[in-house]
Amino acid sequence: MKKTTTLVLVFVSFFAFSQQQTVDQKVEALLKKMTLEEKIGQLNQYTSNDVATGPITVNDNKQNEIKKGLLGSMLNVMGTTRTRQYQELAMQSRLKIPLLFGLDVIHGYKNTFPIPLAEAASWDLTAIELAARVAATEAAASGIHWTFAPMVDIARDPRWGRVMEGAGEDTYLGSKIAYARVKGFQGNLGDVNSVMACVKHFAAYGAAVGGRDYNSVDMSNRMLWETYLPPFKSALDAGAATFMNSFNDLNGIPATGNSYLQRDILKGKWNFQGFVVSDWGSIGEMVAHGYAKDKKEAALSAITAGSDMDMESNAYRYNLEQLVKENKVSVALIDDAVKRILRKKFELGLFDDPYKFCNAEREKTELNNPAHTKAAREMAAKSIVLLKNEQDVLPLSKSLKTIAFIGPMVKPKRINHGFWSIDLKEIDSTYIVSQWEGLENKVGKRTKILYAKGCGVEDKSKEGFADALNVASQAEVIILSIGERFNESGEAKSKSNIHLPGVQEELVKELQKTGKPIVILINAGRPLVFDWVADNMPTIVYTWWLGSEAGNAIADVLFGDYNPSGKLPMSFPRTEGQIPIYYNHFNTGRPASSETNTNYVSAYIDLKNTPKFPFGYGLSYTTFEYSDLKLSKKTMTNNETITVSVNVKNTGSVKGEEVVQLYLRDRVGSVVRPIIELKDFQKITLNRGEIKTIQFTIDNSKLSFYNNALEFVSEPGEFDLMIGSSSADIRLKDSFELVK
């Protein structure tokens, strides 16, 4: 029996190996048939701005290039009708190499999920993976092969508009989410319900100086490796098919032409076998950077550095052949890039069936799948963060007779999509649930809902205040929905002022005078500054931009059908003067011992150091008690582990979810260490009165860091261990020692 099992294992291993070799052999065989012009064609990507129905309108020159096999990929083509039309053009080429269709499927396709930063607030890796899975299923059913997501940039500056697209400020949480989203998008690559992930932006884009999009990044290599690279490595470990380089220069070298990032780290040390695509026009933009004198020199820099596909700059299309003739670029370098792209096309099964993703019946079914809508609603509810509930106004009673629903966010539909949502022009917006509709769906005819807009988002006019006050006077409770416009966050949406726009805060102040209970809903794609509201309003719910089921999800939380469980993935500043602000900072040689001690210590003399709301923070309609912290031992070597256990009890009156967070501090290191670092977490559900024992394992990797020689090491010494409900709400503490 043992011998038979061994033979079977050998056969299975050989079969898997031979299958991989078959793909490689097919790639090599095809490469030998290709002219240099056709090879270079595979390295180019063009956009289409067509609508999703009707005849293709891309110009004749581009159509002819596709027919000649001089294009590898297109982006912004949606729908099975459109993708089939373009693929039919590619099938007229000499070698019939199929096109790849890419699209920014960032947080959903038809069923829009919360913006990624909001999803990160759920701290629910299973739900995040499912959201990506649903998005992939719908996109693939519409002919898409490839999404330009996830964005895994660590971001500590909420002025940067693209914080909405990532997972926040923490490397550990960001790495876990990166892994989950890649797994969700890709599933079993080649299945008709999966798309290739594209991990972006490589690298350190989130550290743009001043929070200004596309701006320079200047940091030590140790900071790069310890804080900004781990989420990329985690995404690669999840099997990410492609990477996208970033717009920024890193320490003076544009990422698109940065060999250290692409050749040394990604394709070298990490052995990445997929391909790298530039960001939109970023190869050509090296001219504006002052790094290349023209697009020809930019093309030389990019291909040498490891950028395989040129998105929309045409630098490769019109310059690589000449660079080969001048012996400045070897054919072998081009062949390597082409093979990486062809391999993915084979793995997707496009050579076997170029139209496998072009099934109109499947498209219709998946875009109207009720399970997807259900997943979007649940993800939206999980993403909501309860910031304050001091007077227990929430959850609202279902016996309320009259509610005033006020604010500029109440009735619009598409705003709930958030930035980077897919605009399906052939589908109306009836499937998007507004906040007004969500409340109506929840209360039915038993409760009267009164409406007033109050003011616009950015308007200076207060003309609507009187109407709002009149409506408020007739109601038992006021729900006020305010925030920033959905397109005030996202790419190219950096802001120096991230306070509540317009006269919205003044509207809050006027409504406060009524003495009625007020529930504040804040809709945004970033942490906003709302210090007065935070100090003076007892009930605040952060709703981000929650997607097509926003209205239903918000109503579920307001009335207690879902007990909020979200935790902040970014610190919320008191004002812009604190930015960048993040929880895991260094102590400095002169730490402030208290918020009032500002004399010759690292502190502001006019502002507290602490954020308004800290990383990991979020309330529930119930309460949780932590007790009985135990360590399996107090010392460990670097090849041992320590088991940590803690009891968590639901001490409130309703069922709830808690994110139990484990933090460590390395007291002394060869380089200074953060005052606190998230190293693990678990999201648990507890019934009223229920107690659960939670266990964590501390191994050497959780104690390791990059030293000054960029070696990932652990060092003997004492470590503080902290368990809590947020980075600033540590319930239990202990310590242990790492010994040689």
Side-chain angles (χ1 to χ4, degrees):
M1 185 67 180
K2 184 177 180 181
K3 183 176 181 181
T4 303
T5 303
T6 302
L7 288 173
V8 169
L9 290 173
V10 170
F11 176 78
V12 170
S13 298
F14 175 77
F15 180 77
F17 177 75
S18 63
Q19 284 293 97
Q20 179 60 44
Q21 285 296 100
T22 300
V23 170
D24 289 343
Q25 288 170 0
K26 288 179 179 179
V27 170
E28 292 289 350
L30 180 56
L31 194 69
K32 290 177 181 177
K33 298 176 183 178
M34 297 174 72
T35 65
L36 179 60
E37 188 180 28
E38 288 169 331
K39 291 176 181 178
I40 293 170
Q42 286 299 303
L43 310 186
N44 292 290
Q45 183 180 63
Y46 294 152
T47 187
S48 168
N49 295 316
D50 297 338
V51 294
T53 58
I56 55 179
T57 59
V58 66
N59 64 53
D60 290 340
N61 183 53
K62 285 188 177 180
Q63 287 196 41
N64 288 333
E65 288 194 18
I66 296 171
K67 291 177 183 179
K68 291 179 181 178
L70 303 182
L71 187 64
S73 175
M74 294 193 73
L75 69 158
N76 298 328
V77 181
M78 292 184 287
T80 55
T81 300
R82 313 295 291 115
T83 53
R84 176 176 282 275
Q85 289 174 329
Y86 279 113
Q87 201 69 284
E88 286 172 349
L89 291 178
M91 290 304 101
Q92 297 177 43
S93 65
R94 184 177 72 90
L95 295 175
K96 295 180 170 50
I97 300 175
L99 292 169
L100 282 175
F101 296 109
L103 187 69
D104 284 297
V105 184
I106 305 302
H107 53 106
Y109 189 72
K110 178 190 174 184
N111 283 286
T112 308
F113 287 79
I115 59 170
L117 186 62
E119 286 190 4
S122 75
W123 291 56
D124 191 323
L125 301 177
T126 301
I128 291 169
E129 182 174 338
L130 177 61
R133 178 99 301 271
V134 170
T137 299
E138 292 187 356
S142 297
I144 306 303
H145 308 137
W146 182 20
T147 176
F148 302 118
M151 189 191 93
V152 303
D153 297 308
I154 297 301
R156 295 169 165 179
D157 190 335
R159 294 174 300 179
W160 188 49
R162 297 196 85 162
V163 297
M164 60 76 55
E165 202 176 336
E169 72 185 48
D170 184 67
T171 300
Y172 183 84
L173 178 63
S175 296
K176 291 293 185 183
I177 291 174
Y179 191 96
R181 298 197 76 208
V182 169
K183 284 293 186 184
F185 282 130
Q186 293 194 167
N188 296 313
L189 202 59
D191 287 354
V192 292
N193 60 354
S194 295
V195 295
M196 294 196 303
C198 185
V199 187
K200 63 185 189 184
H201 305 84
F202 200 62
Y205 189 31
V209 173
R212 199 172 74 238
D213 214 351
Y214 316 121
N215 206 8
S216 300
V217 173
D218 197 341
M219 68 171 59
S220 69
N221 278 339
R222 193 177 70 80
M223 180 67 74
L224 174 70
W225 278 90
E226 186 160 294
T227 302
Y228 291 89
L229 289 184
F232 290 97
K233 181 57 166 63
S234 183
L236 188 150
D237 291 342
T242 69
F243 271 58
M244 178 185 289
N245 50 45
S246 53
F247 284 116
N248 58 280
D249 63 273
L250 176 62
N251 300 332
I253 309 294
T256 312
N258 197 311
S259 293
Y260 178 64
L261 290 175
Q262 296 170 98
R263 293 285 182 203
D264 296 352
I265 299 174
L266 184 59
K267 294 180 177 179
K269 186 177 181 66
W270 291 354
N271 194 32
F272 175 58
Q273 296 299 305
F275 69 88
V276 179
V277 63
S278 77
D279 209 334
W280 184 293
S282 69
I283 294 179
E285 288 173 12
M286 285 194 283
V287 177
H289 272 285
Y291 190 71
K293 68 178 181 180
D294 52 30
K295 280 193 176 183
K296 182 179 179 182
E297 193 170 287
L300 172 61
S301 176
I303 194 70
T304 302
S307 295
D308 301 306
M309 184 177 283
D310 177 3
M311 181 192 290
E312 273 294 309
S313 78
N314 290 306
Y316 285 178
R317 177 74 185 94
Y318 298 114
N319 294 288
L320 280 186
E321 188 169 0
Q322 184 61 34
L323 288 167
V324 171
K325 291 177 180 178
E326 294 173 0
N327 294 319
K328 293 180 179 178
V329 171
S330 69
V331 174
L333 202 60
I334 291 175
D335 284 353
D336 176 67
V338 175
K339 284 191 287 187
R340 290 171 178 272
I341 295 165
L342 293 179
R343 189 178 294 116
K344 293 307 170 189
K345 293 184 178 184
F346 274 110
E347 290 174 1
L348 287 171
L350 295 178
F351 282 96
D352 296 326
D353 180 5
Y355 309 111
K356 67 180 290 186
F357 293 87
C358 299
N359 185 312
E361 281 302 311
R362 186 171 70 247
E363 179 179 28
K364 182 179 179 181
T365 299
E366 296 298 354
L367 293 191
N368 295 282
N369 188 333
H372 296 177
T373 305
K374 180 176 182 288
R377 181 172 181 166
E378 290 175 352
M379 184 76 253
K382 288 175 180 288
S383 302
I384 292 171
V385 183
L386 179 62
L387 295 180
K388 292 184 71 178
N389 194 27
E390 290 178 351
Q391 298 172 4
D392 293 327
V393 172
L394 295 177
L396 297 175
S397 170
K398 293 181 180 178
S399 63
L400 285 169
K401 299 300 182 184
T402 310
I403 297 172
F405 204 178
I406 299 170
M409 313 299 188
V410 172
K411 288 200 170 182
K413 283 177 171 281
R414 286 189 176 272
I415 61 165
N416 296 295
H417 262 339
F419 199 79
W420 276 130
S421 58
I422 305 298
D423 187 13
L424 298 173
K425 295 182 176 66
E426 79 281 12
I427 300 175
D428 63 28
S429 61
T430 56
Y431 68 97
I432 305 171
V433 182
S434 71
Q435 296 176 22
W436 175 265
E437 290 169 333
L439 204 64
E440 281 190 321
N441 294 340
K442 181 63 64 177
V443 302
K445 295 181 179 180
R446 68 177 181 271
T447 302
K448 185 177 182 180
I449 309 175
L450 305 175
Y451 167 73
K453 183 178 180 180
C455 64
V457 177
E458 293 178 306
D459 294 348
K460 302 300 182 184
S461 172
K462 300 179 184 178
E463 289 183 5
F465 281 23
D467 187 30
L469 290 168
N470 178 51
V471 164
S473 69
Q474 304 173 53
E476 296 169 76
V477 66
I478 302 164
I479 304 173
L480 179 58
S481 188
I482 57 177
E484 65 174 359
R485 284 186 290 107
F486 78 97
N487 56 0
E488 283 186 280
S489 59
E491 184 175 354
K493 306 301 180 187
S494 299
K495 295 176 68 177
S496 65
N497 182 338
I498 57 172
H499 282 66
L500 283 168
V503 294
Q504 293 180 93
E505 188 175 278
E506 294 173 66
L507 177 61
V508 177
K509 292 177 179 178
E510 289 300 309
L511 290 172
Q512 185 199 37
K513 294 175 184 177
T514 66
K516 299 288 181 74
I518 302 176
V519 177
I520 305 290
L521 307 180
I522 300 181
N523 307 262
R526 53 158 60 87
L528 291 178
V529 171
F530 48 97
D531 226 31
W532 186 91
V533 173
D535 287 339
N536 293 279
M537 304 308 294
T539 311
I540 305 173
V541 183
Y542 217 79
T543 59
W544 314 96
W545 292 115
L546 294 174
S548 50
E549 284 293 304
N552 284 331
I554 290 170
D556 288 341
V557 167
L558 292 181
F559 284 90
D561 291 323
Y562 181 82
N563 187 349
S565 62
K567 302 281 188 177
L568 296 179
M570 285 189 75
S571 304
F572 276 45
R574 298 175 185 275
T575 187
E576 292 87 354
Q578 286 182 307
I579 298 171
I581 185 169
Y582 46 95
Y583 83 98
N584 52 345
H585 56 82
F586 299 142
N587 203 39
T588 82
R590 293 189 176 187
S593 59
S594 70
E595 291 184 344
T596 57
N597 174 22
T598 62
N599 193 34
Y600 295 102
V601 294
S602 182
Y604 300 105
I605 62 172
D606 61 345
L607 186 71
K608 295 178 181 179
N609 280 9
T610 55
K612 194 63 176 182
F613 297 102
F615 173 81
Y617 172 84
L619 302 177
S620 168
Y621 295 151
T622 190
T623 53
F624 301 96
E625 178 183 272
Y626 289 61
S627 64
D628 298 324
L629 175 62
K630 295 178 182 177
L631 278 64
S632 61
K633 52 189 173 183
K634 297 284 285 185
T635 61
M636 63 175 280
T637 63
N638 58 15
N639 60 357
E640 294 178 329
T641 62
I642 290 178
T643 300
V644 179
S645 66
V646 61
N647 288 344
V648 182
K649 180 181 180 180
N650 182 342
T651 53
S653 59
V654 295
K655 177 181 177 181
E657 296 170 279
E658 171 71 328
V659 180
V660 184
Q661 302 164 41
L662 182 149
Y663 295 89
L664 294 178
R665 181 183 184 182
D666 187 348
R667 292 183 186 175
V668 179
S670 58
V671 294
V672 294
R673 308 302 303 137
I675 63 167
I676 186 172
E677 293 181 276
L678 180 71
K679 290 297 183 179
D680 212 339
F681 64 89
Q682 289 186 38
K683 188 167 190 177
I684 59 172
T685 302
L686 293 172
N687 293 316
R688 182 179 61 178
E690 183 181 5
I691 301 174
K692 282 186 179 179
T693 300
I694 311 303
Q695 288 193 336
F696 298 101
T697 299
I698 297 176
D699 60 15
N700 192 58
S701 67
K702 286 183 167 60
L703 309 181
S704 299
F705 60 93
Y706 286 94
N707 65 17
N708 214 35
L710 295 184
E711 299 165 328
F712 192 62
V713 298
S714 62
E715 297 176 346
E718 293 179 299
F719 290 80
D720 294 322
L721 181 145
M722 296 154 277
I723 302 282
S725 187
S726 82
S727 61
D729 183 13
I730 301 302
R731 306 291 183 86
L732 300 170
K733 296 181 180 181
D734 206 333
S735 62
F736 62 92
E737 186 176 4
L738 178 67
V739 297
K740 291 184 178 180

